[in-house]
Amino acid sequence: MSVKESWEPKIIGFCCNWCSYAGADLAGTSRMNYPASIRVIRVPCSGRVNPQFIARAFQLGADGVLVAGCHPGDCHYSTGNYFTRRRMLLLTRFLEYLGVDPDRFEVRWISGSEGQKFADTVREFTERVRALGPSPKKRDAS
Amino acid sequence: MSGMNQVTDRLRERVRELLADGKIHTFIGYERAWDPYRPIPFFATEAGEAERLIIDELCVPSTPKYMLDFFGREGVVGLLVKGCDSLAVERLLRDHRVERESMYIIGVACTGLLDRDKVKARALEEGWGAVEEVRREGDAFVLVTAAGEKELGPEYLMERCRTCEVKVPTVYDELLGEEVAATAEPRDFAEVAEIEAMTPAERRAYWERQFSRCIRCFACRNVCPACNCRICVFEERVPRWLGRKTDVGEQEMFHFTRALHVAGRCVDCGECDRVCPVNIPLRKLNRKLMKDIGELFGIEKPFMPAETEPLGQFRPDDPDEFE
Amino acid sequence: MKRIGVFVCHCGSNIAGTVDIERVVEAARAMPNVVYVEDNKYTCSEPGQEAIKQAIKEHNLNRVVVAACSPRMHETTFRRAVAGAGLNPYLLEIANIREHCSWVHPDKEGGTPKAIDLVRRAVIKVAGNVPLDRGRIPVTKRALVIGGGIAGIQAALDIADAGHEVVLLEREPSIGGRMAQLDKTFPTLDCSACILTPKMVEAANHPNITLMTYCEVEKVDGFIGNFSVTLRKKARYVDMDTCTGCGICWGKCPGKASSEFEVGLAKRTAIYVPFPQAVPNKPVIDRENCFFFKTGRCKICQRFCPTGAIDFEQEDELVTEEFGAIVVATGFDIMDKDVYGEYGYGQYPDVITSLEFERLVNASGPTEGKVKRPSDGKIPQRVVFIQCVGSRDENKGVPYCSRICCMYTAKHAILVHEKIPGAQTYIFYIDVRAGGKNYEEFYKRAQSEHEAQYIRGRVAKIYPKGDSLVVVGEDTLLGEKVEIEADLVVLATAVLARQDAGEVARTLGISYDGYGFFTEAHAKLAPVETNTAGIFLAGMCQGPKDIPDTVAQASGAAAKVAALLSKEVLETEPLVAQCDEVKCSGCFWCKPICPYKAIEEKEIEERVGRRTVKRKVASVNTGVCKGCGACTVACRTGAMNLLGYTNDQLLSEVEALCL
């Protein structure tokens, strides 16, 4: 087994500027602790998240991908996340169908005041991914 | 049930007229060429060429996408469409890639096409020689071959035709032959359920095996009526949506992307599957998305082109399984 | 050639305490295109910002990355700093190594590699940033207020007082709206006309307000700051300049029609003003009921008019005017009483709606303020009020609460008690909602001082018995059936959106909900704006509300309009969507996604081979686009891109973070 023994899960997170990114900021200002597994990419709206970005993350060996947006109905751009919801419903099933372990892909609605929820999400997601081990892409590459 | 060849004479007559009158400058139909079991698309541009047109249950390839070649050109193109072709036409119309006024559509009712690979294999095995006519007699197909008349049962029907509800084209300027009752087996997406029942590891292994054969010939994309962008995302170098490496990761990325781009717009014509030179079961990808779209968003016929496609709309009470 | 400078902030010990700054600095030096790296104690401070400006000049930097706190904190600060050094402010990226890193990962071993990853992401992203300029669109300093009820009047007055020109448009012959139909208003029992008419007159006389009555909106083109509105001035058949409002014409007119203002309880003439205090107090001729228009004979009004103001040749006129902002204040309707078979399908003359009651109790109404039964004109002794007729009814009515009925019914009960000595009122209710200032006290007074008897329960049936009506209901608190012989029954029917609300919305390009109420941009944070930039809402057309809230909302909308019109030019945010016309297929699947209708169809000409081809492509109205990027995902080709978050940038960010 030639993957680094010291493997730590790496999660790519897409966070919308108005809700989930703000929620993540709040987790920071509240000094909540969570594992250093997540790398956040800021987007204006979760509706900006193209499934191809998610696929690219998995293709490049991300152990997990998180898409976090505003609660449906609360989108800063009024309807963006309704489209995200439809797309993600389809995507979760499709990724699973293609053999991606469903525990590696997470979609959550996190508002700007839900710092705790952001921290909890990262914590729980990291543990689930850790249990699954490194991404199959990494395993194949080594 | 009568076969499509019944309207051959009328078709030739009409095309002759349309070309002679100058109403159309080209007619896209089929002709029997070097492989008589595999009629090919034929572009008639003069009235005299109408004689070469044929129409029968071996005329499988979808032709409406050729309209993209005529985009922006003056004049009207004539088109022969079966049911599945008419959905392709609707797809191109709704995507604004072709204008209705630039087409003159002759529709023909179809009760199902022959699986050409199966037929050809049997013909070779039993030494039938060339085929010159295909008839329908009841449930069966009768092929007039060099070795005499050969009967083929309904098991030679193309898989996709079993569940086809569009026996009569949905769009046409004139319809040849009689209308046909729409009887179809229910769409049960059994082949999708089969894969859904596997474990994640089994699924991953399955798709890796399938995708590893992909040679990125893009035949599936080229034949698909829903893949009608002027500049395909896979031709773009900036941004680099898809790498050029031929490894399974890139093949997967290609099929993943194409399936999602087509999701909600696929008309279930099955051409992608048919044209793949390495037999990747592409319909299993598109139909998975189609099945989910139908179930999740309450769309009874997710393959029928509609005013707004499913991913371009939403309902505030859409299902939500995310916390 | 990209020359990126990276500035890593200690933020005192906020970052330096849990992130190894030296390692981050060292790692940054090795990142692609980075030519300069510096660390600072407090980068956002004056000296910190100066250091950035110095470095830009000294090292010829053309891109800047600041690794510090959240961009939601200081992105604007650093944009300004960078601009101060002469660099385009959009050539800056922030790496959030505080809120997202140092503050949540207490150990340096965990936090430092992550901080390095985050800096790398920013470095790779900023390489794809391009200089962007804020767009500028001109603003026409005129506002259009559609609807001349109290909401429209208030909004018009406020905008006019702010110094801007306003056109106040009303489709009825007079402004005033529903409030003109009311008698007294809760909770003060002010006479409605007394508080409304001064405002009506003020609006008519205000130098900045142009009153356009008997007019409708035909078409709306354009966008924020630049609306082009076609208005239909309906033919009045009366010359507004020569007419003096003397009233001789409507005194002589033989034509009769049901008065809309009196809700069908009285008749009016064919040439008429809707009510005595109408503004403008000049009549219109109702073609459908005018003898001359119907038979070719009459013209009595013209004969007797002392100024020759009657002009039967007039025609509707279409005019197009320019506006910078629009306020929609089109009001509401109430449900008809013929909906409920249990209450007689509107066939019992003594079962009336609350609006009909308002007219009966109004001193200038059809019965001169005496509450008389419509059937025989007798004064009722027992009046039953039924709340929630149609409201809160998912089966036959609407599921929502109409908000005003509990209060106006209490008011009605008080008025009956005051006007009819010895009369008894009964009110069937489900809940009493009296949430405003002094509302609860008012409702309590109706019971304690005016003997209104509240019965908690629904009314199952009303049937006639002789001259009276028997109201059969339930008293759920006592658990008993109740039967009351009533002389008059008043139904508090539901507030409904106007029947043509959908049409109005489509003309304007704004959204409306399933009930026909216009949709606000954000239920809590933007209740007077719509998703169509430059169009605002006021009053009942946005949802049921009482007069205080209507007036407050109207002033709110006016404030937004005044802010908009006070600008010479509107600066538009440059982080907007952009369509690559070469790549665009013209499929327009991006269009339905946009919540702001910012995507338009544009015809272009291209040379293909030796032919010129005309085709349509998508085009983004940057004045209206808010930069959400949802359209970009609908675009398969990637022709639609979002400046500042391009497809290429996002893909390279993913790549940078996955390494």
Side-chain angles (χ1 to χ4, degrees):
Chain A
M1 172 59 181
S2 31
V3 172
K4 283 205 315 262
E5 258 88 50
S6 56
W7 164 76
E8 280 294 313
K10 191 174 241 180
I11 296 169
I12 306 293
F14 294 92
C15 290
C16 74
N17 180 61
W18 303 95
C19 282
S20 43
Y21 194 94
D25 276 353
L26 181 58
T29 28
S30 317
R31 310 296 196 276
M32 298 180 188
N33 282 345
Y34 53 81
S37 52
I38 190 163
R39 306 285 183 273
V40 169
I41 295 179
R42 183 168 75 134
V43 286
C45 176
S46 59
R48 178 70 186 95
V49 181
N50 194 318
Q52 287 168 251
F53 303 151
I54 298 168
R56 178 59 62 85
F58 280 124
Q59 184 193 22
L60 294 175
D63 302 304
V65 175
L66 168 73
V67 173
C70 307
H71 290 260
D74 292 345
C75 181
H76 179 86
Y77 302 98
S78 87
T79 50
N81 61 359
Y82 283 130
F83 296 105
T84 314
R85 180 165 62 178
R86 280 214 169 184
R87 206 173 290 130
M88 295 298 132
L89 280 167
L90 223 52
L91 189 62
T92 41
R93 286 161 171 71
F94 197 48
L95 284 171
E96 196 179 349
Y97 189 73
L98 289 173
V100 174
D101 199 302
D103 279 340
R104 292 194 188 275
F105 181 57
E106 176 93 49
V107 178
R108 292 212 109 186
W109 311 124
I110 302 177
S111 82
S113 59
E114 291 180 305
Q116 184 67 59
K117 188 171 181 189
F118 183 83
D120 289 342
T121 302
V122 177
R123 204 175 299 118
E124 285 157 18
F125 193 21
T126 307
E127 289 325 300
R128 278 210 309 279
V129 167
R130 196 190 297 282
L132 288 172
S135 147
K137 306 276 179 204
K138 281 196 190 127
R139 286 199 290 257
D140 296 339
S142 49
Chain B
M1 275 185 276
S2 48
M4 291 196 279
N5 73 325
Q6 304 253 326
V7 305
T8 309
D9 289 335
R10 179 73 184 134
L11 171 67
R12 290 175 183 165
E13 189 189 322
R14 282 299 293 135
V15 174
R16 211 176 301 126
E17 279 165 16
L18 290 164
L19 283 169
D21 293 343
K23 287 225 171 64
I24 61 177
H25 57 73
T26 308
F27 188 84
I28 308 176
Y30 302 97
E31 68 166 347
R32 216 174 292 286
W34 61 88
D35 180 350
Y37 290 92
R38 295 203 170 101
I40 57 172
F42 169 56
F43 294 69
T45 50
E46 281 163 44
E49 292 180 319
E51 287 312 302
R52 288 161 66 178
L53 289 168
I54 61 157
I55 176 65
D56 61 36
E57 282 71 17
L58 287 172
C59 295
V60 171
S62 173
T63 53
K65 203 164 170 199
Y66 289 116
M67 287 308 301
L68 291 182
D69 293 349
F70 297 97
F71 185 82
R73 265 185 64 175
E74 296 275 321
V76 181
V77 174
L79 206 57
L80 176 66
V81 304
K82 317 180 287 290
C84 43
D85 300 328
S86 68
L87 293 187
V89 171
E90 275 200 67
R91 176 83 271 136
L92 291 166
L93 284 171
R94 291 209 190 267
D95 290 353
H96 301 107
R97 296 297 283 126
V98 73
E99 281 177 29
R100 184 66 184 89
E101 305 82 61
S102 65
M103 293 187 283
Y104 186 83
I105 303 174
I106 297 185
V108 59
C110 164
T111 53
L113 301 165
L114 283 165
D115 183 332
R116 307 202 305 185
D117 292 338
K118 254 179 156 167
V119 173
K120 185 75 195 281
R122 173 97 181 262
L124 284 173
E125 202 188 300
E126 297 184 6
W128 292 355
V131 59
E132 60 178 48
E133 197 188 303
V134 178
R135 291 198 312 269
R136 277 283 241 175
E137 267 160 34
D139 242 354
F141 302 87
V142 175
L143 274 63
V144 177
T145 73
E149 289 205 355
K150 303 289 177 188
E151 194 173 295
L152 294 171
E155 67 274 16
Y156 282 84
L157 206 58
M158 274 195 88
E159 193 60 44
R160 75 193 204 204
C161 297
R162 288 184 211 287
T163 51
C164 170
E165 295 165 47
V166 195
K167 301 286 196 263
V168 178
T170 57
V171 52
Y172 53 80
D173 290 298
E174 62 178 89
L175 187 69
L176 296 184
E178 33 191 75
E179 299 233 352
V180 175
T183 50
E185 285 173 28
R187 262 164 226 269
D188 58 6
F189 298 101
E191 75 283 13
V192 169
E194 204 185 298
I195 298 181
E196 285 172 339
M198 298 178 188
T199 65
E202 283 171 347
R203 273 182 234 129
R204 211 168 86 79
Y206 175 80
W207 287 113
E208 259 184 42
R209 215 167 41 243
Q210 304 304 323
F211 292 146
S212 63
R213 293 198 304 281
C214 178
I215 55 173
R216 241 88 63 84
C217 66
F218 294 120
C220 50
R221 175 204 64 179
N222 293 346
V223 80
C224 173
C227 278
N228 54 40
C229 295
R230 272 168 52 86
I231 297 181
C232 175
V233 79
F234 299 117
E235 314 287 8
E236 282 167 17
R237 299 200 49 216
V238 177
R240 206 174 25 83
W241 294 107
L242 192 69
R244 305 231 182 252
K245 274 198 298 189
T246 49
D247 70 16
V248 170
E250 297 293 353
Q251 324 300 29
E252 199 167 43
M253 193 66 166
F254 165 66
H255 291 288
F256 169 90
T257 304
R258 199 184 87 80
L260 279 175
H261 278 194
V262 160
R265 300 164 53 246
C266 171
V267 297
D268 209 15
C269 67
E271 282 289 272
C272 51
D273 210 282
R274 185 183 67 83
V275 302
C276 175
V278 294
N279 291 329
I280 298 174
L282 292 167
R283 279 186 98 206
K284 293 188 185 178
L285 288 172
N286 301 92
R287 302 195 90 222
K288 162 67 177 169
L289 288 164
M290 190 182 298
K291 168 175 175 269
D292 285 346
I293 285 175
E295 277 170 13
L296 285 168
F297 311 129
I299 298 171
E300 209 197 304
K301 299 195 183 183
F303 55 91
M304 290 296 281
E307 183 75 40
T308 318
E309 43 105 25
L311 293 175
Q313 58 182 285
F314 65 88
R315 281 202 308 264
D317 60 354
D318 270 337
D320 192 336
E321 46 195 44
F322 313 118
E323 280 159 40
Chain C
M1 247 281 291
K2 310 279 195 309
R3 296 178 60 82
I4 303 177
V6 179
F7 300 85
V8 186
C9 188
H10 292 234
C11 195
S13 63
N14 279 312
I15 298 178
T18 48
V19 168
D20 188 336
I21 304 284
E22 261 188 53
R23 269 172 63 193
V24 175
V25 166
E26 209 183 295
R29 287 196 211 286
M31 290 179 190
N33 294 313
V34 172
V35 299
Y36 178 74
V37 187
E38 183 184 301
D39 58 298
N40 280 299
K41 269 254 151 20
Y42 295 100
T43 317
C44 56
S45 66
E46 175 88 36
Q49 293 188 44
E50 269 313 304
I52 296 182
K53 291 187 200 169
Q54 271 299 99
I56 291 175
K57 296 200 180 101
E58 259 180 51
H59 301 273
N60 219 359
L61 304 176
N62 56 28
R63 299 281 188 291
V64 169
V65 167
V66 177
C69 52
S70 171
R72 290 171 55 90
M73 191 86 197
H74 275 314
E75 188 170 56
T76 326
T77 315
F78 292 123
R79 282 211 205 283
R80 228 176 279 130
V82 151
L87 191 61
N88 185 289
Y90 294 93
L91 296 173
L92 166 89
E93 275 298 314
I94 311 273
N96 184 344
I97 60 172
R98 190 181 73 172
E99 280 85 335
H100 283 199
C101 196
S102 71
W103 273 351
V104 291
H105 308 312
D107 82 288
K108 282 196 175 176
E109 277 319 298
T112 307
K114 177 168 169 177
I116 294 174
D117 278 355
L118 294 176
V119 172
R120 184 181 305 112
R121 180 209 67 84
V123 164
I124 294 210
K125 179 161 188 225
V126 86
N129 281 17
V130 294
L132 295 172
D133 283 311
R134 307 193 106 199
R136 298 170 109 78
I137 48 178
V139 178
T140 306
K141 288 173 181 298
R142 289 178 86 223
L144 172 66
V145 177
I146 306 175
I150 183 62
I153 292 171
Q154 184 62 49
L157 286 171
D158 287 344
I159 298 171
D161 282 342
H164 303 292
E165 269 180 55
V166 187
V167 166
L168 178 56
L169 197 84
E170 168 56 53
R171 71 172 169 197
E172 297 299 321
S174 163
I175 56 174
R178 292 276 178 223
M179 211 173 146
Q181 293 175 293
L182 305 181
D183 179 38
K184 300 209 169 19
T185 53
F186 58 78
T188 48
L189 293 180
D190 279 313
C191 150
S192 185
C194 305
I195 55 180
L196 175 67
T197 43
K199 285 208 189 256
M200 285 165 65
V201 172
E202 205 190 326
N205 292 337
H206 200 297
N208 281 343
I209 298 180
T210 307
L211 212 55
M212 286 178 76
T213 53
Y214 216 48
C215 289
E216 296 198 43
V217 172
E218 186 95 346
K219 194 160 170 297
V220 176
D221 280 319
F223 51 94
I224 182 174
N226 303 275
F227 291 108
S228 193
V229 184
T230 306
L231 304 164
R232 176 180 292 275
K233 293 166 90 161
K234 300 188 286 198
R236 294 176 95 107
Y237 307 106
V238 170
D239 187 327
M240 294 293 275
D241 294 319
T242 33
C243 171
T244 57
C246 66
I248 293 179
C249 56
W250 65 76
K252 298 269 183 223
C253 177
K256 291 273 176 284
S258 173
S259 168
E260 298 87 347
F261 186 80
E262 301 293 359
V263 208
L265 290 173
K267 296 244 183 279
R268 59 161 172 78
T269 46
I271 186 168
Y272 71 103
V273 287
F275 54 98
Q277 306 95 333
V279 171
N281 206 337
K282 297 182 182 176
V284 304
I285 296 182
D286 165 16
R287 268 187 92 104
E288 313 225 324
N289 291 289
C290 164
F291 274 28
F292 172 69
F293 280 112
K294 285 200 298 189
T295 64
R297 285 197 302 275
C298 187
K299 288 196 177 180
I300 289 182
C301 51
Q302 195 176 57
R303 262 191 284 138
F304 280 90
C305 175
T307 56
I310 312 282
D311 177 6
F312 289 101
E313 306 296 309
Q314 263 188 21
E315 279 177 10
D316 286 2
E317 199 189 323
L318 288 175
V319 294
T320 303
E321 302 213 4
E322 311 296 311
F323 299 100
I326 300 177
V327 178
V328 188
T330 48
F332 68 105
D333 279 328
I334 61 167
M335 187 183 275
D336 244 316
K337 61 191 174 187
D338 59 3
V339 174
Y340 287 83
E342 302 90 311
Y343 305 155
Y345 286 125
Q347 298 302 312
Y348 305 141
D350 296 325
V351 175
I352 61 174
T353 62
S354 46
L355 199 52
E356 287 170 327
F357 183 83
E358 286 282 346
R359 293 314 304 154
L360 290 179
V361 94
N362 194 310
S364 38
T367 57
E368 292 171 351
K370 296 194 186 30
V371 183
K372 290 184 185 168
R373 284 157 41 104
S375 58
D376 53 15
K378 292 211 184 103
I379 309 283
Q381 291 305 308
R382 289 153 78 91
V383 183
V384 171
F385 294 90
I386 306 179
Q387 307 260 223
C388 294
V389 176
S391 306
R392 308 178 65 188
D393 182 353
E394 290 188 73
N395 293 323
K396 285 202 234 184
V398 290
Y400 55 81
C401 164
S402 294
R403 202 145 153 203
I404 52 175
C405 331
C406 287
M407 285 307 291
Y408 71 53
T409 299
K411 173 187 79 173
H412 289 170
I414 293 176
L415 292 175
V416 166
H417 186 253
E418 284 180 348
K419 289 186 177 250
I420 310 174
Q424 179 59 56
T425 55
Y426 303 90
I427 301 169
F428 283 90
Y429 72 100
I430 312 176
D431 298 288
V432 174
R433 293 171 172 184
K437 192 164 174 180
N438 293 317
Y439 282 20
E440 179 71 15
E441 298 91 317
F442 182 81
Y443 147 65
K444 281 272 141 68
R445 266 205 326 275
Q447 296 176 288
S448 59
E449 290 175 31
H450 300 280
E451 294 171 33
Q453 192 159 335
Y454 275 79
I455 304 168
R456 190 183 185 283
R458 309 213 65 159
V459 169
K461 197 177 163 60
I462 303 176
Y463 63 86
K465 185 174 156 194
D467 278 343
S468 324
L469 294 156
V470 178
V471 179
V472 181
E474 193 195 351
D475 185 334
T476 56
L477 295 178
L478 291 179
E480 284 175 3
K481 183 165 140 189
V482 166
E483 270 188 34
I484 303 177
E485 236 177 83
D487 303 314
L488 184 67
V489 178
V490 183
L491 306 177
T493 55
V495 163
L496 299 176
R498 294 262 186 207
Q499 280 227 333
D500 61 348
E503 243 180 80
V504 171
R506 280 188 291 274
T507 307
L508 292 167
I510 61 176
S511 316
Y512 55 105
D513 65 19
Y515 311 117
F517 293 113
F518 302 135
T519 318
E520 62 288 324
H522 194 288
K524 282 148 281 187
L525 302 178
V528 299
E529 294 160 89
T530 61
N531 272 332
T532 310
I535 302 187
F536 305 91
L537 301 172
M540 281 271 211
C541 63
Q542 182 256 349
K545 58 178 68 69
D546 50 31
I547 295 171
D549 283 352
T550 297
V551 172
Q553 196 183 38
S555 292
K560 295 277 181 191
V561 169
L564 171 53
L565 298 184
S566 67
K567 298 182 162 66
E568 287 308 318
V569 283
L570 261 184
E571 277 203 336
T572 58
E573 192 55 52
L575 298 178
V576 292
Q578 194 183 57
C579 179
D580 182 332
E581 290 174 1
V582 173
K583 288 184 182 177
C584 177
S585 307
C587 74
F588 294 112
W589 286 119
C590 50
K591 250 179 121 175
I593 309 266
C594 181
Y596 308 105
K597 302 199 177 51
I599 298 177
E600 295 159 351
E601 296 187 16
K602 179 176 160 192
E603 199 172 73
I604 61 170
E605 265 184 27
E606 281 177 335
R607 199 100 181 109
V608 180
R610 290 179 299 160
R611 287 179 291 124
T612 304
V613 173
K614 276 207 187 100
R615 64 187 188 94
K616 289 218 179 95
V617 295
S619 170
V620 177
N621 181 336
T622 54
V624 172
C625 171
K626 295 254 170 47
C628 70
C631 56
T632 59
V633 183
C635 180
R636 304 182 304 278
T637 313
M640 204 50 108
N641 220 340
L642 185 63
L643 292 170
Y645 299 92
T646 63
N647 290 317
D648 204 25
Q649 283 181 304
L650 283 161
L651 280 171
S652 48
E653 281 183 88
V654 170
E655 208 176 277
L657 290 174
C658 283
L659 288 176

